[in-house]
Amino acid sequence: MWGGRFSEPTDAFVARFTSSVDVDKRLYRQDIAGSQAHARMLHAIGVLTVKERDAIVSGLADIGTEIEQGTFPWDPALEDVHMNIESELVARIGDAGKKLHTARSRNDQVATDIRLWLREAIDDVDAQLSEVLTGLTDLADAHTETVMPGFTHLQSAQPVTFAHHLMAWFEMAHRDRERFRDCRKRVNVSPLGCAALAGTSFPVDRTMTAHELGFDAAAANSLDAVSDRDFALEFCAAASITAVHLSRWCEELVAWASPQWGFVTLPDRYCTGSSIMPQKKNPDVPELVRGKSGRVIGSLNALLVLMKSQPLAYNRDNQEDKPPLFDTADTLLDCLQAVSGIISAMEANPSAMRAAAEQGYATATDLADYLVRKDVPFRDAHAIVGKAVAVAIERGTSLADLDLAVLEELCPAIDASVYDVLSLEGSVAARRHVGGTAPDAVRRAIVDAKRRI
Ligand code: ARG
């Protein structure tokens, strides 16, 4: 389709090396929609007759049907999805088909296709994230009173409610969804009509095609519109952050599901066995989600390096944008499906969580706060409680099991009311401010969260 000036056929290796149809054929729906919009616009500005326009629009629709049915003759020699479809159109409808590429280049065509494709991918991610968010609030609803250890440095720190922990995940996923929604605004801008780089000498109506394709606007600069892929970078960056979040949750799930922790039971249908150890039930699904984050981050990196130092305007380097972009969307959607499946099917084990929370002196801060309320300066209180912990360790008991006499000896300000703050329930219930772990505070947070989904 471009061989006019060439005096020998393309080297077979070069043909294979430059071909992208195996990857970009998944843009066929967007490519056809873009071409139909372009043909309608060309008619509106007097470049195509009604007959030519209709032949193009219906010829493309037929091709779309064949592609869907799997009968379309893809030809790697025709480089990419654009030339495969266009040459088939010409084969079917003749000269009218040859006019379709007026006032257009594959450079604005492919940029348009990718943006249309990515817009849909973002909407799919958005829907999956909404499922995750709903699953989290449902599970949290059932566990506002379930106490577990909260950790810093993976050491028991202070008791929290399981619902509070789940709602921390909610906040991460909610910001993730906002990032994708924000990215969508910059994706949804039309390059169509920018042609190769400088625009076209035809009086194209770019607003018409932009609207027909559901874009918010026509891109303002033709050089920029055909060449930059920052919108794809934004998507991959948002996906990487989401993947990192999911890897953190899955790290916890893997630990929680082990018999040593026993905080949750994963459903059998989400686990796999061992070919040698008959007793095994492995959390391969969360492990794979954790592992696939590497792939998503790698794709972001690939795309960043691909774009780095590219001069304006279009360069063939850009053809390499699709594998990482497609893989990012596919991988992320799978990971989100895996995680929402786990969240809706896993069972929490409140007694194991409670037993763990009872270890590790998790209410030590509450004891220090208690002393502060008895007018002991916080630093002194911290030192006194440190001694209490040392005594408890020595005697092999919890803080709540220390005799009042022992505690009084450490600090005369202590009286029997201390045991209220040393209980797990007392500890969590005291943190009832906005963002706190108290059952009441978390219940309010869940109501608010459901409104935000
Ligand atoms: N297949 C190319 C891509 O994906 C589009 C074609 C642009 N080719 C060109 N020689 N200007 O970027």
Side-chain angles (χ1 to χ4, degrees), residues 20 24 79-80 82 105-107 110 229 314 316 318-319 321-322:
S20 60
D24 60 30
E79 273 190 38
D80 52 29
H82 324 294
S105 150
R106 278 184 294 156
N107 297 351
V110 70
R229 297 290 183 265
Y314 178 88
R316 193 62 175 267
N318 279 2
Q319 182 165 290
D321 61 357
K322 284 161 220 72

Side-chain angles (χ1 to χ4, degrees), residues 244-280:
V244 167
H245 283 156
L246 298 183
S247 80
R248 296 179 62 194
W249 309 1
C250 286
E251 172 87 359
E252 295 185 326
L253 286 168
V254 169
W256 292 352
S258 76
Q260 285 75 8
W261 294 59
F263 285 10
V264 298
T265 306
L266 300 179
D268 280 2
R269 64 181 185 280
Y270 267 78
C271 293
T272 52
S274 159
S275 54
I276 174 169
M277 297 167 284
Q279 85 283 11
K280 296 281 283 181

Side-chain angles (χ1 to χ4, degrees), residues 144-176:
T144 52
E145 311 273 348
T146 303
V147 178
M148 66 182 280
F151 299 91
T152 62
H153 314 274
L154 208 57
Q155 307 283 318
S156 185
Q158 291 173 342
V160 295
T161 52
F162 184 43
H164 193 53
H165 194 114
L166 293 169
M167 293 309 288
W169 292 3
F170 176 98
E171 293 301 330
M172 300 179 199
H174 189 263
R175 287 192 299 277
D176 290 335

